[in-house]
């Protein structure tokens, strides 16, 4: 891989510690959009993967169903009130059941798996992911917020523990794939593609009236609620710029965003000679999920293929940062660094939560994030504790502002 990533040639995604050579997977956030698609990949490849840990926040029904189908070693239900129900449902099996936030971190440190798929949404995914890295586990990272909050610490610990962090986010998987075989070549810049979301081409006078249901309709991807709103505001692309900075060790000026509404090119790398590599395919998260699980190998599948004879037009345009101000705020956070991305991320989580509950309108989200970024104290080189404190402070500030 590129010298700019922390993956060294010859280091595979996980030591296949199962006696039969199968990679043992822990899915943190197994009931979500990424988690369920990962289980589809695992179900289609029983000779390659086993499921060792499944976790969910409060969808106990689905967690139980998944546990009965995949027979993991351990399940964790975040909401402690649901522990008894899960425990009773799985009593006839030898699956261990734990509950609560602390249990997520504790199981992340356990010896029973090789690779964590970090598919919890938001800041809640940070501590289990950090614990996995500290425990020397390979991480397939869907949870971009972890890198936005404290990417410096995460990547440093990954290097110290010789842990590969393999991107699952489709753009970053594309870049990662473009870098295979390029370990001695420097990146000039990367080009992150963005679909533009459901409100591409719209102006603020339209956005002020958009409703939750409309914002939840993404044209190309079917995802969890939080990331779908982030895609509609373009905050998702901002989070992804910060994610890319840490994953590929880039300067902010090496990261460009281009709107590509068809979502066929998943992102590109431009090298020092001006040559550009792109990774393409139909928009289907199963592909980057599968690649992250099976890396460095590719495995066959029967997913639908992109057909050049059918889709004719691939188009590109500049993002409209004047209208989609969240992307501008994220670029500010990317440039300034320190705890500003963590502050922005926390305020964004609160704002999206409020929007999803119809407490604020679409443009109020930007307002809350901007004010929080201006008001929580800036720290240039935060410690881990300071990142946690900034997150808490920003959450409180944004929640007060919104009157949650
Ligand atoms: P989702 O809302 O569908 O699922 C989230 C999962 O996290 C669920 O299993 C839920 O039980 C768990 N969870 C939620 N809150 C939790 C908490 N407080 N404690 C513990 N567990 C909790 O989300 P998703 O769309 O699957 O996204 C997951 C992550 O992957 C996000 O960080 C997102 O940005 C990233 N991602 C998603 C996609 C996609 O296509 N869905 C694409 C790229 C990146
Ligand atoms: Mg993405």
């Amino acid at each position: 891989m590129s010298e700019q990533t922390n993956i060294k040639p010859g280091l595979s995604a996980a030591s296949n510690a199962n006696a039969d050579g199968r990679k043992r997977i822990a899915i943190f956030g197994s009931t979500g959009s990424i988690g369920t698609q990962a289980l589809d990949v695992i179900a289609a490849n029983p000779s390659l993967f086993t499921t060792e840990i499944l976790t969910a926040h409060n969808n106990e029904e689905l967690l139980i169903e998944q546990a009965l189908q995949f027979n993991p070693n351990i399940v964790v239900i975040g909401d402690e009130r649901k522990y008894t129900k899960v425990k009773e449902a799985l009593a006839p099996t030898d699956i261990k059941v734990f509950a609560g936030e602390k249990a997520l971190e504790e199981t992340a440190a356990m010896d029973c798996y090789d690779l964590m798929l970090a598919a919890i949404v938001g800041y809640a995914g940070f501590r289990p992911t950090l614990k996995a890295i500290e425990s020397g586990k390979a991480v397939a990272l869907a949870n971009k917020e972890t890198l936005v909050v404290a990417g410096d610490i995460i990547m440093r610990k990954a290097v110290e523990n010789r842990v590969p962090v393999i991107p699952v986010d489709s753009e970053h998987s594309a870049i990662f794939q473009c870098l295979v075989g390029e370990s001695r070549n420097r990146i000039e810049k990367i080009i992150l593609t963005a679909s533009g979301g459901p409100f591409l081409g719209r102006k603020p006078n339209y956005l002020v009236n958009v409703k939750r249901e409309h914002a939840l309709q993404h044209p190309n991807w079917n995802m969890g609620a939080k990331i779908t709103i982030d895609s509609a505001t373009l905050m998702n692309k901002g989070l992804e710029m910060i994610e890319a900075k840490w994953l590929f060790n880039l300067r902010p000026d090496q990261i460009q965003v281009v709107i590509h509404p068809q979502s066929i090119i998943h992102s590109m790398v431009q090298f020092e000679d001006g040559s550009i590599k792109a990774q393409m395919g139909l928009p289907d998260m199963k592909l980057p999920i599968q690649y992250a699980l099976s890396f460095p190998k590719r495995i066959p599948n029967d997913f639908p293929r992109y057909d050049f004879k059918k889709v004719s037009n691939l188009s590109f345009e500049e993002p409209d940062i004047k209208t989609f101000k969240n992307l501008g705020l994220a670029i500010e956070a990317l440039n300034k660094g320190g705890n500003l991305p963590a502050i922005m991320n926390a305020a964004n989580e609160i704002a999206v939560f409020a929007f999803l509950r119809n407490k604020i309108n679409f443009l109020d989200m930007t307002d809350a994030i901007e004010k929080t970024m201006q008001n929580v104290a800036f720290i240039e080189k935060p410690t881990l504790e300071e990142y946690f404190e900034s997150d808490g402070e920003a959450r409180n500030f944004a929640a007060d502002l919104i009157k949650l």
Side-chain angles (χ1 to χ4, degrees), residues 29 31-34 57 119-121 124 142-145 169 223-224 285:
T31 53
S33 160
I34 294 288
H57 189 46
I120 290 176
V121 59
N143 179 266
K144 64 192 84 184
E145 293 90 347
D169 214 348
M223 310 176 286
M285 281 309 294

Side-chain angles (χ1 to χ4, degrees), residues 50-108:
T50 64
T51 313
E52 297 301 325
I53 300 175
L54 296 174
T55 87
H57 189 46
N58 51 23
N59 188 347
E60 81 281 11
E61 301 279 353
L62 183 54
L63 182 65
I64 292 166
E65 196 185 299
Q66 292 177 338
L68 292 172
Q69 184 185 346
F70 289 91
N71 194 30
N73 208 324
I74 297 169
V75 300
V76 184
I77 179 83
D79 185 343
E80 296 183 37
R81 291 166 302 181
K82 307 215 161 149
Y83 171 77
T84 315
K85 184 161 174 204
V86 179
K87 179 82 188 153
E88 277 170 10
L90 299 181
T93 73
D94 54 11
I95 301 168
K96 298 178 212 56
V97 181
F98 301 110
E101 220 175 288
K102 237 1 315 78
L104 281 176
E105 258 188 274
E106 285 162 10
T107 45

Side-chain angles (χ1 to χ4, degrees), residues 144 169-172 193 223 227 236-237 240 243 285:
K144 64 192 84 184
D169 214 348
S170 57
E171 296 77 1
H172 306 73
T193 53
M223 310 176 286
I227 184 175
N236 183 50
K237 211 48 55 181
E240 290 183 354
E243 180 185 14
M285 281 309 294

Side-chain angles (χ1 to χ4, degrees), residues 292-368:
L293 296 185
S294 67
F295 175 82
K297 282 202 183 119
R298 291 184 184 274
I299 49 182
N301 60 40
D302 57 4
F303 305 161
R305 265 49 175 169
Y306 177 68
D307 181 353
F308 278 92
K309 282 180 282 198
K310 279 196 194 135
V311 186
S312 55
N313 189 26
L314 299 184
S315 61
F316 306 92
E317 57 188 275
E318 283 280 310
D320 176 2
I321 294 184
K322 282 208 181 86
T323 302
F324 295 91
K325 290 194 173 142
N326 282 8
L327 180 55
L329 292 175
I331 292 171
E332 184 192 334
L334 168 75
N335 286 326
K336 201 158 171 202
N339 63 344
L340 199 56
I343 294 167
M344 177 194 74
N345 177 68
N348 181 56
E349 288 190 23
I350 296 291
V352 171
F353 176 89
F355 176 73
L356 283 170
R357 274 152 197 78
N358 298 313
K359 301 251 187 219
I360 57 175
N361 82 32
F362 193 82
L363 295 179
D364 292 339
M365 287 192 276
T366 304
D367 209 45

